[in-house]
Amino acid sequence: MSRMNLLQAVNNALDTAMASDDRVLCFGEDVGVFGGVFRATSHLQEKYGRERCFNTPLVEQGIVGFANGLAAQGSVPVAEIQFADYIFPAFDQLVNETAKFRYRSGSLFDVGGLTVRAPYGGGIAGGHYHSQSPEAYFAHTPGLTVVVPRNPHQAKGLLLASIRSPDPVLFFEPKRLYRASVGEVPDDDYELPLRQAEVVQEGSDITLLAWGAQMEVIEQAADMAGKEGVSCELIDLRTIVPWDVETVVESVLKTGRLIVSHEAPLTGGFAAEVAATIQNRCFLYLESPIERVTGLDTPFPLTLEKEYMPGPLKVLDAIHRTMDF
């Protein structure tokens, strides 16, 4: 075991994947000698050469289009989009090519070896172009897997599983936690299951569901609620789509209450999909309406970032409303 922050865990996962499979390639803007804007790819070019870790032009649709081509001919590309906010020029490639390549060819061809990494989310005073959480855009697209880790141990295991998945994966990394989240990470090669949520803390009164950096927020809210006598069950969704419906259903059948929290805006956020599904599956067991604690329906603000973010006090208020209903 080694003590790593989340960024080091990502770097370690990439190193592990490249060492175990010569087909794995890393590329993106400034990922070579510079090691990426956050240094996630530090020393990989030095270790594996410019043929396997290299810079691209600043053209996101080209990065993903190139990755699609590599994956289609048998390579295992890991493409980096420098910030998730800049993934939108590649939207057509991801939604109309990556997601549909296997389906439209009748399984004759696929780009299942493709992984796209992108740092997402706020909390770093990045303003509206370096703080967005775009997971819901891609959750609407059959054919893509969307994964978000919450800490270093999860990041390494989930990234290795994503790189080796037979399906294309969007891997969103919570950049606020890159250096803030530190923990013990196995030095050995290991994978954590995709499409499977994790019950992080068991409870009996209310279920709190989140993913990525928002897990830390609901943990803080649960601690405060616990001091008031409210027993919270915490679930990390981990894979946004296809999501683990059964684990969430099982929890809500027990607690009768659910709060879903994410940084992305309220309208059309993935919490709405979760709420609709759980309402359908657990309607007669619900003790109160399902609550959503999310970002606001505005562009991500710079000066009002703290007001925008769905912090632990907002989650605690939702817990009070739900328990008092």
Side-chain angles (χ1 to χ4, degrees):
M1 302 285 281
S2 296
R3 193 161 178 81
M4 302 181 191
N5 60 33
L6 195 146
L7 193 61
Q8 291 167 327
V10 168
N11 180 263
N12 187 255
L14 294 171
D15 190 3
T16 301
M18 295 180 79
S20 65
D21 187 345
D22 290 340
R23 300 175 302 153
V24 178
L25 310 171
C26 291
F27 52 90
E29 298 165 6
D30 301 319
V31 305
V33 174
F34 191 59
V37 67
F38 293 104
R39 305 300 187 270
T41 54
S42 291
H43 305 299
L44 295 181
Q45 186 178 93
E46 176 184 331
K47 189 170 183 179
Y48 296 103
R50 296 181 65 180
E51 296 78 15
R52 296 186 60 200
C53 181
F54 50 89
N55 295 334
T56 65
L58 275 67
V59 52
E60 286 78 12
Q61 62 266 50
I63 293 171
V64 177
F66 179 57
N68 279 332
L70 281 169
Q73 58 87 42
S75 294
V76 183
V78 184
E80 178 182 298
I81 301 298
Q82 199 168 82
F83 287 88
D85 312 60
Y86 298 120
I87 203 168
F88 299 117
F91 196 81
D92 179 62
Q93 280 293 322
L94 288 165
V95 170
N96 279 331
E97 303 299 336
T98 306
K100 298 175 174 61
F101 209 86
R102 178 185 286 122
Y103 182 83
R104 71 175 187 168
S105 72
S107 292
L108 291 175
F109 311 102
D110 69 78
V111 293
L114 170 60
T115 303
V116 177
R117 297 177 40 251
Y120 84 96
I124 64 163
H128 51 288
Y129 287 141
H130 297 83
S131 305
Q132 296 176 75
S133 300
E135 67 270 15
Y137 290 102
F138 299 101
H140 193 61
T141 305
L144 296 177
T145 300
V146 180
V147 178
V148 190
R150 72 175 183 273
N151 62 29
H153 178 266
Q154 295 286 316
K156 180 177 177 179
L158 290 172
L159 181 53
L160 282 169
S162 297
I163 292 169
R164 294 161 180 167
S165 169
D167 302 305
V169 177
L170 293 182
F171 193 84
F172 288 118
E173 300 162 5
K175 59 181 177 286
R176 178 170 65 81
L177 301 185
Y178 265 158
R179 293 179 174 84
S181 180
V182 179
E184 296 294 322
V185 178
D187 296 317
D188 295 337
D189 188 334
Y190 68 96
E191 298 178 25
L192 294 174
L194 304 181
R195 307 183 180 197
Q196 184 175 315
E198 181 182 9
V199 178
V200 177
Q201 174 181 304
E202 293 192 355
S204 57
D205 294 328
I206 188 169
T207 301
L208 308 183
L209 174 69
W211 49 86
Q214 202 61 18
M215 284 302 300
E216 180 183 49
V217 173
I218 67 169
E219 287 169 2
Q220 293 170 358
D223 287 342
M224 291 186 285
K227 294 174 182 177
E228 301 174 2
V230 179
S231 174
C232 300
E233 181 144 300
L234 306 184
I235 299 179
D236 179 4
L237 198 57
R238 299 199 293 189
T239 300
I240 305 303
V241 60
W243 66 287
D244 184 358
V245 176
E246 297 307 321
T247 294
V248 183
V249 166
E250 182 179 347
S251 176
V252 176
L253 289 177
K254 176 177 67 173
T255 65
R257 302 175 180 89
L258 174 64
I259 293 173
V260 188
S261 186
H262 58 62
E263 285 186 29
L266 176 70
T267 302
F270 197 69
E273 177 63 28
V274 174
T277 301
I278 299 304
Q279 184 274 149
N280 181 264
R281 293 285 300 274
C282 304
F283 181 72
L284 295 178
Y285 293 83
L286 290 174
E287 300 289 346
S288 64
I290 297 170
E291 285 265 0
R292 292 177 289 164
V293 182
T294 71
L296 306 178
D297 285 339
T298 70
F300 198 103
L302 175 60
T303 57
L304 297 175
E305 181 175 62
K306 290 183 179 179
E307 286 73 14
Y308 176 94
M309 294 287 281
L313 292 178
K314 291 183 180 180
V315 177
L316 183 62
D317 285 343
I319 292 172
H320 291 156
R321 289 193 301 271
T322 303
M323 295 302 299
D324 294 342
F325 181 79

